[in-house]
Amino acid sequence: MNSTDPMVIVGGGQCGARAAHALRENGWDGAIILLGDEGRLPYERPPLSKAVLLGERTAEQCEVYDDAFYRGQRIDLRAGAAAASIDRAAHKVVLADGACVAYHRLLIATGAQLRRLDVPGCELPGVHMLRSAADAQAIAGDLTPGRRIVVIGAGFIGLEIASSAVARGCEVVVLEAAPRALMRAVPEAVAQRLVDKHRSMGVDVRFSVAVERILGDARVTGVELADGATVPCEAIVAGIGVLPRIALAQAAGLDIADGGIAVDETLRTSDPFIYAAGDVSSFPHPLFARRIRLECWKNAEDQARIAARNMLGHAEPCSAVPWFWSDQYDMTIQIAGLPALGATTVARETGAASRVFFALDADGVLVGASGVGRTGEIAKDVRIAQELIARRARITPETLADRAVKLRSLLMEEMS
Ligand SMILES: Cc1cc2nc3c(=O)[nH]c(=O)nc-3n(C[C@H](O)[C@H](O)[C@H](O)COP(=O)(O)OP(=O)(O)OC[C@H]3O[C@@H](n4cnc5c(N)ncnc54)[C@H](O)[C@@H]3O)c2cc1C
């Protein structure tokens, strides 16, 4: 290895593309190679379950940068070049076609892959899952007015798909194995508001139901549940979660933690020449004193920038407060911090149909905030909550619930 070798990024997704750009912005003048395996320009996934399914955007309109950008920045984007293995001793990535690419520093940004629905009939035409632009295009083709669509899984992706399918004129049934929606992500009150909204839009949401098999011959015709009941439908979309794509790292002997590639607070793996970022990285968050892995747009943005800087010799910690959003119907959900760590939930009314739920840990420290309602009625409070979480603010439940107390004034107090 020598310093004239390229910076190499495995994973031509949002995080990989942003990291390539950040390397250039931060002064790397040498070669940058971005390896992707989807055969297309890197793109952002959040619109896939929203605007793309609604027919408002094409997959091309979700691209992170256009073709000319990569050329202009001298980023060697190889969109159909899957990395097959990493030769850590020789500092080389071996591609699926056998070619080798030497690296000065390597970033693994391989994202996540779908958790597969493993029941009889899952291979039938009309059974879908959503991760890629190609998946979104196939699902959009099946969302024709009047059709009955079964969504398996009441997580964020499943609920967004349900909302898009309703907007396309479909009849929708959501089947969830757990007793409620969004079990790990948000407090029950937030999940309940969302489910109420779906039901008011005509969605049949069912909890504690197990899918036994998919029915159909040439194409899906329904779902059989564990209790023997059947749900007829013309198409199915399963949204049952993802698994980080760690196979490459694992085969190379890199440390793995909590299902992701283990990195330190600077996003460096157990090999000092290799970094990992985005959905695939498991990193120690200084604020929460624990290792976490995030599957969200903002984390891919933040970690891309930090990984690029640290590949260039900085030692910047990754300490941003997590932030996530979801859009369903006319509602937005915004989440800051880690609400799941809360011992107490406090509701604050921020508009006629909008609420922000704060999560306080056992010591009374603010660890999470989940807003649900109209964007303009929750976004500001969630943003300020993000800063209060970063400061480990202790605020009484009474103060948080009192609409007359401006959150900004609490932040000012913390800062003084
Ligand atoms: C439908 C959908 C909706 C979403 N909505 C939201 C939302 O509303 N809000 C939010 O905050 N987040 C949302 N997300 C999550 C967000 O899109 C992800 O967190 C983000 O895409 C992570 O970026 P990444 O670059 O780490 O991974 P990815 O986007 O998965 O990119 C990784 C890339 O690496 C490629 N790759 C993998 N292995 C190899 C290999 N060996 N060689 C070469 N290339 C390889 C993959 O094919 C992929 O192209 C959504 C995700 C999906 C799927």
Side-chain angles (χ1 to χ4, degrees):
M1 185 220 48
N2 62 63
S3 62
T4 58
D5 282 337
M7 291 292 196
V8 176
I9 301 168
V10 180
Q14 178 195 341
C15 187
R18 294 283 191 218
H21 185 194
L23 282 166
R24 232 0 132 226
E25 281 186 320
N26 283 279
W28 176 254
D29 198 39
I32 301 173
I33 300 176
L34 176 55
L35 302 169
D37 65 351
E38 292 192 69
R40 59 194 310 157
L41 296 182
Y43 57 92
E44 295 189 354
R45 294 175 201 273
L48 298 182
S49 46
K50 311 170 185 77
V52 174
L53 287 192
L54 292 172
E56 293 167 355
R57 263 165 95 170
T58 62
E60 287 69 33
Q61 287 168 325
C62 305
E63 285 163 2
V64 182
Y65 307 112
D66 64 15
D67 209 17
F69 179 87
Y70 296 98
R71 281 198 305 274
Q73 294 287 325
R74 291 180 294 119
I75 295 166
D76 180 1
L77 169 62
R78 304 186 191 175
S85 62
I86 302 167
D87 181 341
R88 285 169 53 196
H91 291 248
K92 283 184 177 143
V93 175
V94 182
L95 305 185
D97 66 4
C100 282
V101 176
Y103 60 82
H104 173 59
R105 295 284 182 279
L106 174 66
L107 174 64
I108 304 178
T110 44
Q113 66 202 17
L114 291 163
R115 194 188 288 274
R116 294 273 154 200
L117 182 68
D118 191 18
V119 295
C122 62
E123 305 298 336
L124 278 173
V127 180
H128 303 277
M129 307 196 81
L130 176 56
R131 180 74 191 174
S132 68
D135 296 336
Q137 278 155 347
I139 295 167
D142 263 349
L143 298 185
T144 49
R147 273 197 166 173
R148 194 175 213 222
I149 310 295
V150 163
V151 174
I152 301 175
F156 279 114
I157 303 283
L159 292 177
E160 287 188 355
I161 293 165
S163 141
S164 298
V166 167
R168 297 289 297 262
C170 300
E171 195 188 319
V172 182
V173 181
V174 175
L175 303 174
E176 168 59 57
R180 73 159 172 95
L182 302 165
M183 201 69 178
R184 292 178 317 274
V186 292
E188 183 158 12
V190 178
Q192 192 55 52
R193 279 184 163 258
L194 277 175
V195 170
D196 289 348
K197 179 72 184 185
H198 279 272
R199 287 185 170 144
S200 76
M201 298 300 289
V203 178
D204 176 2
V205 189
R206 304 186 199 174
F207 294 108
S208 306
V209 284
V211 171
E212 191 74 12
R213 69 181 70 245
I214 311 286
L215 306 171
D217 192 1
R219 192 188 151 86
V220 60
T221 56
V223 175
E224 184 182 314
L225 305 179
D227 65 3
T230 58
V231 184
C233 64
E234 275 88 44
I236 293 175
V237 191
I240 53 173
V242 293
L243 299 166
R245 289 182 74 167
I246 54 171
L248 200 62
Q250 215 163 13
L254 296 175
D255 287 354
I256 302 296
D258 301 333
I261 302 175
V263 291
D264 65 14
E265 64 281 1
T266 68
L267 303 178
R268 205 166 61 166
T269 67
S270 49
D271 180 323
F273 296 92
I274 307 179
Y275 291 73
D279 280 11
V280 79
S281 78
S282 161
F283 67 105
H285 200 297
L287 209 52
F288 304 107
R290 68 180 62 204
R291 208 167 252 294
I292 61 173
R293 204 176 56 71
L294 298 169
E295 292 159 13
C296 59
W297 180 91
K298 184 172 180 294
N299 180 59
E301 296 282 302
D302 291 344
Q303 292 202 343
R305 200 185 55 252
I306 293 169
R309 284 178 59 73
N310 294 343
M311 287 164 81
L312 293 169
H314 297 267
E316 226 171 82
C318 184
S319 58
V321 174
W323 182 87
F324 172 87
W325 94 99
S326 171
D327 295 325
Q328 295 165 38
Y329 309 106
D330 56 351
M331 290 172 97
T332 290
I333 299 95
Q334 291 190 10
I335 303 170
L338 298 178
L341 301 184
T344 314
T345 302
V346 184
R348 181 183 182 94
E349 193 182 323
T350 56
S354 303
R355 301 282 183 282
V356 175
F357 295 86
F358 296 98
L360 299 169
D361 72 7
D363 298 324
V365 174
L366 185 65
V367 289
S370 328
V372 56
R374 297 196 185 286
T375 310
E377 293 176 345
I378 59 158
K380 195 166 136 218
D381 278 2
V382 174
R383 202 169 47 244
I384 298 171
Q386 216 178 333
E387 293 184 45
L388 288 166
I389 294 168
R391 291 183 158 75
R392 297 189 52 78
R394 270 199 178 78
I395 309 167
T396 66
E398 296 72 30
T399 310
L400 283 171
D402 186 353
R403 223 182 142 177
V405 179
K406 293 267 174 273
L407 281 191
R408 183 155 297 284
S409 67
L410 301 176
L411 183 60
M412 293 309 187
E413 274 173 36
E414 286 293 324
M415 290 164 73
S416 62

